[in-house]
Amino acid sequence: MEELQSTEVLDREILEDARRKAFKILKNADDTVKVNAQSWKKKSDEAIAGIERRYAARKRRSTQEIMARLPLDKRRAKAERIEAFLLLSAENWYKKQPREQIIGLLKTEMKSRLEEAPGSLSESCRLVYAGLDKAEAEAVIAGALGGTSIPKGLSLEKAQVSSLPALTLDSPVVKIRVSIEMILDSILHEKREELVGALLGPEALTAPSEGEEPS
């Protein structure tokens, strides 16, 4: 009987010791989890703060770049609107001109080009024209040469597509091309400031100041 009681006491002591060890292990594990949780929270907070700092810095840089580029963008937008207005004005001017005036411009331009390249006309020359009929193309060449007829042996060929009148004289010596588009481009290039001032007023010649909205 005493042996049985001794065994029961020993079992209780063993169980109690096991419970104490298990409690200690669990408590250590719980402490470790809490420490790790705090550590991860600290790391997460630091990572979030770092992201927020980088985002704020990037936002500042983007704002600075936009503000620095804004005056240039305004000038570019203003220049593009002026260019579009000039092209539209040139197109409207062309549409109002009598056909004789258009032919006259081409004659003058062709004459100037031929004078720069004397002897370029020969029997093997070919004249390609567009935006004109054959009689008008012949009139341009004849007028440029100061006569009423084209040189013998000059062949004429009509191009398929062209928005504005144009002629190309193709010879063994040189290729000469004249067109209303080139004439208008030359006028716009040489008289740009004068045209802008006349069409839009002197203020259109000045760049917009910082903070000013382009008109």
Side-chain angles (χ1 to χ4, degrees):
M1 188 69 171
E2 291 180 359
E3 291 180 1
L4 181 61
Q5 290 177 346
S6 298
T7 302
E8 290 177 352
V9 171
L10 181 60
D11 289 342
R12 283 197 299 270
E13 290 177 351
I14 291 173
L15 290 174
E16 185 64 26
D17 184 61
R19 279 195 294 269
R20 285 196 298 269
K21 289 180 179 179
F23 178 79
K24 185 177 180 180
I25 292 171
L26 291 174
K27 185 176 184 305
N28 289 339
D30 186 56
D31 292 342
T32 301
V33 168
K34 289 181 180 179
V35 170
N36 288 339
Q38 292 175 353
S39 176
W40 278 110
K41 184 177 183 304
K42 181 179 179 182
K43 290 180 179 178
S44 299
D45 291 343
E46 290 175 351
I48 292 172
I51 292 172
E52 290 176 344
R53 286 194 298 271
R54 289 194 295 273
Y55 175 78
R58 185 182 301 174
K59 184 178 180 181
R60 284 195 301 272
R61 288 196 300 271
S62 298
T63 301
Q64 291 169 356
E65 290 173 0
I66 291 171
M67 295 306 295
R69 193 174 63 240
L70 190 58
L72 178 60
D73 289 343
K74 287 182 178 180
R75 290 195 295 272
R76 185 183 297 113
K78 184 174 182 179
E80 288 174 353
R81 284 198 297 273
I82 290 175
E83 185 70 17
F85 192 82
L86 287 175
L87 293 175
L88 179 61
S89 299
E91 182 180 348
N92 291 336
W93 174 87
Y94 164 74
K95 291 178 180 178
K96 293 177 182 177
Q97 298 310 302
R99 195 64 176 177
E100 295 78 11
Q101 176 72 10
I102 298 302
I103 302 301
L105 287 172
L106 292 170
K107 286 180 183 178
T108 301
E109 188 67 16
M110 180 63 78
K111 180 180 179 181
S112 174
R113 299 296 181 86
L114 287 173
E115 289 174 348
E116 294 174 359
S120 56
L121 270 174
S122 67
E123 291 186 358
S124 58
C125 283
R126 183 171 64 107
L127 180 68
V128 180
Y129 60 94
L132 301 163
D133 58 34
K134 185 177 180 181
E136 290 174 331
E138 291 177 344
V140 170
I141 290 296
L145 295 172
T148 57
S149 61
I150 64 173
K152 291 181 180 180
L154 177 65
S155 63
L156 278 76
E157 178 183 330
K158 186 170 185 177
Q160 295 298 319
V161 179
S162 177
S163 57
L164 294 173
L167 301 99
T168 300
L169 182 64
D170 193 2
S171 79
V173 180
V174 69
K175 179 179 286 188
I176 298 174
R177 186 174 189 275
V178 298
S179 69
I180 290 299
E181 183 179 4
M182 293 169 64
I183 293 171
L184 292 177
D185 284 346
S186 178
I187 293 173
L188 289 177
H189 179 72
E190 294 177 2
K191 305 290 185 179
R192 181 170 299 275
E193 287 193 10
E194 181 180 339
L195 290 170
V196 171
L199 292 170
L200 304 176
E203 64 277 3
L205 298 173
T206 60
S209 58
E210 189 171 349
E212 175 191 352
E213 291 294 330
S215 56

Coordinates of all heavy atoms in Angstrom, one line a residue, residues 131-167:
G131 N -1.5 69.8 -110.3 CA -2.3 70.9 -109.9 C -2.5 71.9 -110.9 O -3.0 73.0 -110.7
L132 N -2.1 71.6 -112.2 CA -2.3 72.5 -113.3 C -2.8 71.6 -114.5 O -2.6 70.4 -114.5 CB -0.9 73.1 -113.7 CG -0.2 73.9 -112.7 CD1 1.3 74.1 -113.1 CD2 -0.8 75.3 -112.5
D133 N -3.3 72.3 -115.5 CA -3.6 71.6 -116.7 C -2.4 71.8 -117.7 O -1.5 72.6 -117.4 CB -4.9 72.0 -117.4 CG -5.0 73.5 -117.7 OD1 -3.9 74.1 -118.1 OD2 -6.0 74.1 -117.6
K134 N -2.4 71.1 -118.8 CA -1.2 71.1 -119.7 C -1.0 72.5 -120.2 O 0.2 73.0 -120.3 CB -1.5 70.1 -120.9 CG -0.3 70.0 -121.8 CD -0.5 69.0 -122.9 CE 0.7 68.9 -123.8 NZ 0.4 67.9 -124.9
A135 N -2.0 73.2 -120.6 CA -1.9 74.6 -121.1 C -1.2 75.5 -120.1 O -0.4 76.3 -120.5 CB -3.2 75.1 -121.6
E136 N -1.6 75.4 -118.8 CA -1.0 76.2 -117.8 C 0.5 75.9 -117.6 O 1.3 76.7 -117.4 CB -1.8 76.0 -116.5 CG -3.2 76.6 -116.5 CD -4.0 76.3 -115.3 OE1 -3.8 75.2 -114.7 OE2 -4.9 77.1 -114.9
A137 N 0.8 74.6 -117.6 CA 2.2 74.1 -117.5 C 3.0 74.7 -118.6 O 4.1 75.2 -118.4 CB 2.3 72.6 -117.4
E138 N 2.5 74.6 -119.8 CA 3.2 75.2 -121.0 C 3.4 76.7 -120.8 O 4.5 77.2 -121.2 CB 2.5 74.9 -122.3 CG 2.5 73.4 -122.6 CD 1.7 73.1 -123.9 OE1 0.9 73.9 -124.3 OE2 1.9 72.0 -124.4
A139 N 2.4 77.4 -120.3 CA 2.4 78.8 -120.2 C 3.5 79.2 -119.1 O 4.2 80.2 -119.3 CB 1.1 79.4 -119.7
V140 N 3.7 78.4 -118.1 CA 4.7 78.7 -117.1 C 6.1 78.6 -117.7 O 6.9 79.5 -117.6 CB 4.6 77.7 -115.9 CG1 5.8 77.8 -115.0 CG2 3.3 77.9 -115.1
I141 N 6.4 77.5 -118.5 CA 7.7 77.4 -119.1 C 7.9 78.5 -120.2 O 9.0 79.1 -120.2 CB 7.8 76.0 -119.7 CG1 7.9 74.9 -118.6 CG2 9.1 75.9 -120.6 CD1 9.2 75.1 -117.7
A142 N 6.9 78.7 -121.0 CA 7.1 79.7 -122.0 C 7.3 81.0 -121.4 O 8.2 81.8 -121.9 CB 5.8 79.7 -122.9
G143 N 6.5 81.4 -120.4 CA 6.7 82.7 -119.8 C 8.0 82.9 -119.1 O 8.6 83.9 -119.1
A144 N 8.5 81.8 -118.5 CA 9.8 81.8 -117.8 C 10.9 82.1 -118.8 O 11.9 82.7 -118.5 CB 10.0 80.5 -117.0
L145 N 10.7 81.6 -120.0 CA 11.8 81.8 -121.1 C 11.5 83.0 -121.9 O 12.3 83.3 -122.8 CB 11.8 80.6 -122.0 CG 12.2 79.2 -121.4 CD1 11.9 78.1 -122.3 CD2 13.6 79.3 -120.9
G146 N 10.5 83.8 -121.5 CA 10.2 85.0 -122.2 C 9.6 84.9 -123.6 O 9.7 85.8 -124.4
G147 N 9.0 83.7 -123.9 CA 8.4 83.5 -125.1 C 6.9 83.1 -125.0 O 6.3 83.3 -123.9
T148 N 6.4 82.5 -126.1 CA 5.0 82.1 -126.1 C 4.8 80.7 -126.3 O 3.7 80.2 -126.3 CB 4.2 82.9 -127.1 OG1 4.8 82.7 -128.4 CG2 4.2 84.4 -126.8
S149 N 5.9 80.0 -126.5 CA 5.8 78.5 -126.8 C 6.9 77.8 -126.1 O 8.0 78.4 -125.7 CB 5.9 78.2 -128.3 OG 7.1 78.7 -128.8
I150 N 6.7 76.5 -125.8 CA 7.7 75.7 -125.1 C 8.8 75.3 -126.1 O 8.6 75.2 -127.3 CB 7.1 74.5 -124.4 CG1 6.5 73.6 -125.4 CG2 6.0 75.0 -123.4 CD1 6.0 72.3 -124.8
P151 N 10.0 75.0 -125.6 CA 11.1 74.5 -126.5 C 10.7 73.2 -127.1 O 10.0 72.3 -126.6 CB 12.3 74.3 -125.5 CG 11.9 75.1 -124.3 CD 10.5 75.1 -124.2
K152 N 11.1 73.0 -128.4 CA 10.9 71.7 -129.1 C 11.6 70.6 -128.4 O 12.7 70.7 -127.9 CB 11.4 71.8 -130.5 CG 10.6 72.8 -131.4 CD 11.1 72.8 -132.8 CE 10.3 73.8 -133.6 NZ 10.8 73.9 -135.0
G153 N 10.9 69.5 -128.3 CA 11.5 68.3 -127.7 C 11.2 68.2 -126.2 O 11.5 67.1 -125.6
L154 N 10.7 69.2 -125.6 CA 10.4 69.1 -124.2 C 9.1 68.3 -124.0 O 8.0 68.6 -124.5 CB 10.1 70.5 -123.6 CG 9.7 70.6 -122.2 CD1 10.9 70.1 -121.3 CD2 9.4 72.0 -121.8
S155 N 9.2 67.2 -123.3 CA 8.1 66.3 -123.0 C 7.4 66.7 -121.7 O 8.0 67.1 -120.7 CB 8.5 64.9 -122.9 OG 9.4 64.7 -121.8
L156 N 6.1 66.7 -121.7 CA 5.3 67.0 -120.5 C 4.6 65.8 -120.0 O 4.1 65.0 -120.8 CB 4.2 68.1 -120.9 CG 4.8 69.5 -120.9 CD1 5.6 69.8 -122.2 CD2 3.6 70.5 -120.8
E157 N 4.5 65.7 -118.7 CA 3.9 64.6 -118.0 C 3.2 65.1 -116.8 O 3.7 65.8 -116.0 CB 5.0 63.5 -117.6 CG 4.4 62.3 -116.9 CD 5.6 61.4 -116.4 OE1 6.6 61.4 -117.1 OE2 5.4 60.8 -115.3
K158 N 1.9 64.6 -116.6 CA 1.1 65.1 -115.5 C 1.2 64.1 -114.4 O 1.1 62.9 -114.5 CB -0.4 65.2 -115.9 CG -1.2 65.8 -114.8 CD -2.6 66.1 -115.3 CE -3.4 66.8 -114.2 NZ -4.8 67.2 -114.7
A159 N 1.5 64.6 -113.2 CA 1.6 63.8 -112.0 C 0.2 63.4 -111.5 O -0.8 64.1 -111.8 CB 2.4 64.5 -110.9
Q160 N 0.1 62.4 -110.7 CA -1.2 61.9 -110.3 C -1.8 62.7 -109.2 O -3.0 63.1 -109.3 CB -1.1 60.5 -109.8 CG -0.6 59.5 -110.9 CD -1.6 59.4 -112.1 OE1 -2.8 59.4 -111.9 NE2 -1.1 59.4 -113.3
V161 N -1.1 63.1 -108.2 CA -1.7 63.8 -107.0 C -0.8 65.0 -106.6 O 0.4 64.9 -106.6 CB -1.7 62.8 -105.8 CG1 -2.3 63.5 -104.6 CG2 -2.6 61.6 -106.2
S162 N -1.5 66.1 -106.3 CA -0.9 67.3 -105.8 C -2.0 68.2 -105.2 O -3.0 68.4 -105.9 CB 0.0 68.0 -106.8 OG 0.5 69.2 -106.2
S163 N -1.7 68.7 -104.0 CA -2.7 69.6 -103.4 C -2.6 71.0 -104.0 O -3.6 71.7 -104.1 CB -2.6 69.6 -101.9 OG -1.3 70.0 -101.5
L164 N -1.4 71.4 -104.3 CA -1.1 72.7 -104.9 C -0.3 72.6 -106.2 O 0.4 71.7 -106.4 CB -0.3 73.6 -103.8 CG -1.0 73.9 -102.5 CD1 -0.1 74.5 -101.5 CD2 -2.2 74.8 -102.7
P165 N -0.4 73.6 -107.0 CA 0.3 73.6 -108.3 C 1.8 73.5 -108.1 O 2.4 74.1 -107.2 CB -0.1 75.0 -108.9 CG -1.4 75.3 -108.3 CD -1.4 74.8 -106.9
A166 N 2.4 72.6 -108.9 CA 3.8 72.4 -108.8 C 4.4 71.9 -110.1 O 3.6 71.2 -110.9 CB 4.1 71.3 -107.7
L167 N 5.6 72.2 -110.5 CA 6.3 71.8 -111.7 C 7.7 71.3 -111.3 O 8.4 71.9 -110.5 CB 6.3 72.9 -112.7 CG 5.0 73.5 -113.2 CD1 4.8 74.8 -112.5 CD2 5.0 73.7 -114.7

